[in-house]
Amino acid sequence: WRFSDLESLNLGSNQLEGEISPEIGGMSNLNELNLGSNQLSGSIPPEIGKLSSLIDLNFSSNQLTGSIPQEIGLLSSLTRLSLFNNQLSGSIPPELGGLSNLENLGLSNNQLTGSIPPELGNLSKLVDLILGYNQLSGSIPSEIGNLSRLGTLNLSENQLSGSIPPEIGGLSKVYWFFLNNNQLNGSIPPEIGRLTKLGRLDLY
């Protein structure tokens, strides 16, 4: 038996400290990697991009710093990416738009800056897009309207500006919709009236 044979590594909800070792990239058969709810610090090693079988990656609720490595965009089998509740900074890598199987993207409660990459509009299977409580700026990309399976869109508590794009009307399945506490301006697009599944809408 070897560590490289592991298919699931779940060490979540402990009191683990220290950094995530780059050697984790050698666990090539991992489907699930859960280190969430610990006290891990340091940056996410780019070697994570070697875990080509990974379906679920959870580093949430730690003390991780630095940027999100663009190598995560190589994880083509990934369905869930949970990095929320850390101290991550820098921009959201546009390479995440290549995760064609991604269903849940949680990056909230960090210190992320820059604009929302329009490439996220390529994530056709996405159900949850949660980017709230960061320092994201710029306008909401119209490509977000391509996410026809989206049930939750949370862009609240950022520094987003500009108008709400009318393409938002393409989110026919969205139920939770949060844009509050930004710097958005202009009028509310009438296309929002197409969102017949809405359970809650917070705009300003």
Side-chain angles (χ1 to χ4, degrees):
W1 184 86
R2 299 170 298 177
F3 276 111
S4 58
D5 295 328
L6 275 178
E7 295 183 359
S8 178
L9 179 59
N10 187 345
L11 298 174
S13 300
N14 281 288
Q15 299 178 24
L16 299 175
E17 301 177 348
E19 300 186 0
I20 300 171
S21 172
E23 294 181 2
I24 204 165
M27 298 182 178
S28 56
N29 289 316
L30 275 183
N31 294 320
E32 176 191 18
L33 176 55
N34 181 4
L35 301 179
S37 298
N38 280 289
Q39 300 171 31
L40 298 172
S41 58
S43 59
I44 300 172
E47 287 80 3
I48 287 293
K50 297 179 180 180
L51 303 180
S52 58
S53 299
L54 209 57
I55 295 173
D56 191 338
L57 175 59
N58 185 355
F59 288 163
S60 64
S61 298
N62 279 287
Q63 300 168 19
L64 298 173
T65 57
S67 59
I68 300 171
Q70 64 183 27
E71 288 81 0
I72 288 181
L74 299 173
L75 304 177
S76 58
S77 298
L78 205 63
T79 63
R80 183 187 300 269
L81 177 58
S82 303
L83 302 178
F84 56 88
N85 292 342
N86 278 288
Q87 300 168 28
L88 297 170
S89 59
S91 58
I92 299 173
E95 288 81 3
L96 298 187
L99 300 175
S100 58
N101 289 301
L102 201 64
E103 298 176 4
N104 305 95
L105 177 58
L107 304 179
S108 59
N109 291 86
N110 279 289
Q111 300 169 20
L112 299 174
T113 57
S115 58
I116 299 172
E119 289 84 356
L120 296 187
N122 297 330
L123 302 175
S124 60
K125 295 183 179 180
L126 205 61
V127 176
D128 298 304
L129 177 58
I130 305 176
L131 307 179
Y133 290 88
N134 279 289
Q135 300 168 31
L136 299 172
S137 58
S139 59
I140 299 171
S142 60
E143 289 82 357
I144 292 292
N146 296 333
L147 304 177
S148 59
R149 297 188 184 184
L150 208 62
T152 300
L153 175 61
N154 188 343
L155 306 179
S156 65
E157 303 286 348
N158 278 289
Q159 300 169 18
L160 298 172
S161 58
S163 58
I164 301 170
E167 289 83 0
I168 288 292
L171 304 179
S172 58
K173 295 185 178 179
V174 74
Y175 186 83
W176 302 107
F177 189 174
F178 302 109
L179 298 179
N180 53 293
N181 292 331
N182 279 286
Q183 300 170 23
L184 299 169
N185 55 37
S187 59
I188 299 174
E191 288 81 1
I192 282 183
R194 300 178 191 168
L195 307 181
T196 58
K197 304 288 187 182
L198 271 178
R200 181 170 178 179
L201 172 62
D202 287 353
L203 292 181
Y204 299 108

